[in-house]
């Protein structure tokens, strides 16, 4: 199990670095969008390449950060159900969902999207819009994004199985949106008690 946990740690490292690099594309997408809007309003000009670049950037952010989001437990969860379970019960729900839903879906998307990318790349397809971009980079993002998600799913599966077997810590981190508020209140109380 320790070898598998090392593999999980390597996958976590990969998705952490990909996610931290890719989320800067949000800023790039905002700048491209703003420049495109300003040029369109001031000079009555527009570019299909700029519009398509915005779509490509959004796609890259969404696809490449999905593994990062899974790593940080940021995907949508049904907490009304799982919140009532013990940590081991929650881990079993995650194991079931990963094995029967996440991994099959991710692998299916990889399997179906790869031939589409190959066809687009070998034919050198470009956008049908005037001044549009090459299509193959966008098509390549789909299998890569789902591969990152599948890898992170494997990592999460390893960590949860290790936890259930008693060979690892609880991998389910609970995010308390009020943690910073509670910490500030505690600091204020300590300051007030120290001055009183």
């Amino acid at each position: 199990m320790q070898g598998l946990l090392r593999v999980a740690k390597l996958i976590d490292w990969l998705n952490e670095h990909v996610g931290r690099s890719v989320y800067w594309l949000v800023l790039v997408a905002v700048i491209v969008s703003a420049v495109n809007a300003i040029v369109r309003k001031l000079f009555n000009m527009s570019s299909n390449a700029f519009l398509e670049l915005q779509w490509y950037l959004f796609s890259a952010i969404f696809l490449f950060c999905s593994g990062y989001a899974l790593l940080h437990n940021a995907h949508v969860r049904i907490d009304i159900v799982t919140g009532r379970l013990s940590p081991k019960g929650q881990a079993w729900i995650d194991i079931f969902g990963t094995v029967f839903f996440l991994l099959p879906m991710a692998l299916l998307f990889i399997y179906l999207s790869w031939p589409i990318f190959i066809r687009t790349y070998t034919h050198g397809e470009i956008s049908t819009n005037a001044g549009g971009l090459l299509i193959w980079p966008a098509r390549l993002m789909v299998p890569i994004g789902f591969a990152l998600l599948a890898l992170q799913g494997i990592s999460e599966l390893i960590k949860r199985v290790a936890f259930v077997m008693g060979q690892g810590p609880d991998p389910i981190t609970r995010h308390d949106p009020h943690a910073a508020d509670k910490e500030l209140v505690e600091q204020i109380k300590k300051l007030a008690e120290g001055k009183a």
Side-chain angles (χ1 to χ4, degrees):
M1 184 55 71
Q2 293 306 314
L4 288 174
L5 285 170
R6 281 194 290 275
V7 169
K9 192 176 236 184
L10 183 63
I11 294 169
D12 291 351
W13 177 87
L14 172 67
N15 270 311
E16 182 72 31
H17 282 78
V18 169
R20 287 187 177 271
S21 300
V22 170
Y23 67 51
W24 283 100
L25 292 181
V26 173
L27 178 61
V28 175
V30 168
I31 292 170
V32 168
S33 179
V35 167
N36 193 30
I38 291 168
V39 168
R40 188 173 59 245
K41 294 293 182 190
L42 291 180
F43 303 108
N44 199 24
M45 295 172 48
S46 186
S47 166
N48 286 329
F50 274 126
L51 290 172
E52 290 181 9
L53 180 59
Q54 291 173 52
W55 301 337
Y56 283 25
L57 291 169
F58 175 77
S59 298
I61 295 161
F62 174 79
L63 289 165
F64 295 165
C65 286
S66 61
Y68 177 79
L70 184 59
L71 170 64
H72 290 281
N73 201 20
H75 283 280
V76 175
R77 298 171 89 54
I78 307 172
D79 290 334
I80 195 165
V81 174
T82 59
R84 298 170 189 249
L85 300 174
S86 68
K88 284 196 177 184
Q90 292 177 8
W92 276 113
I93 294 280
D94 286 345
I95 290 168
F96 178 83
T98 300
V99 169
F100 291 104
F101 295 105
L102 175 72
L103 290 176
M105 181 269 314
L107 295 173
L108 182 65
F109 269 86
I110 294 167
Y111 175 77
L112 294 174
S113 63
W114 186 254
I116 295 170
F117 157 69
I118 294 295
R119 187 191 70 230
T120 304
Y121 181 76
T122 56
H123 289 103
E125 290 181 31
I126 60 170
S127 171
T128 57
N129 296 319
L133 302 175
L134 289 169
I135 295 176
W136 71 262
R139 298 280 167 88
L140 179 60
M141 286 189 267
V142 175
I144 292 174
F146 278 98
L148 290 169
L149 180 61
L151 284 172
Q152 193 59 46
I154 291 167
S155 172
E156 298 304 314
L157 184 62
I158 291 168
K159 291 184 281 190
R160 277 152 180 78
V161 168
F163 171 64
V164 167
M165 293 173 58
Q167 297 183 16
D170 182 0
I172 303 170
T173 56
R174 291 171 184 80
H175 173 68
D176 181 2
H178 304 291
D181 296 339
K182 291 176 185 175
E183 185 178 330
L184 180 61
V185 167
E186 290 300 317
Q187 288 179 357
I188 291 170
K189 283 182 182 177
K190 287 179 184 176
L191 285 173
E193 290 170 1
K195 291 182 178 179

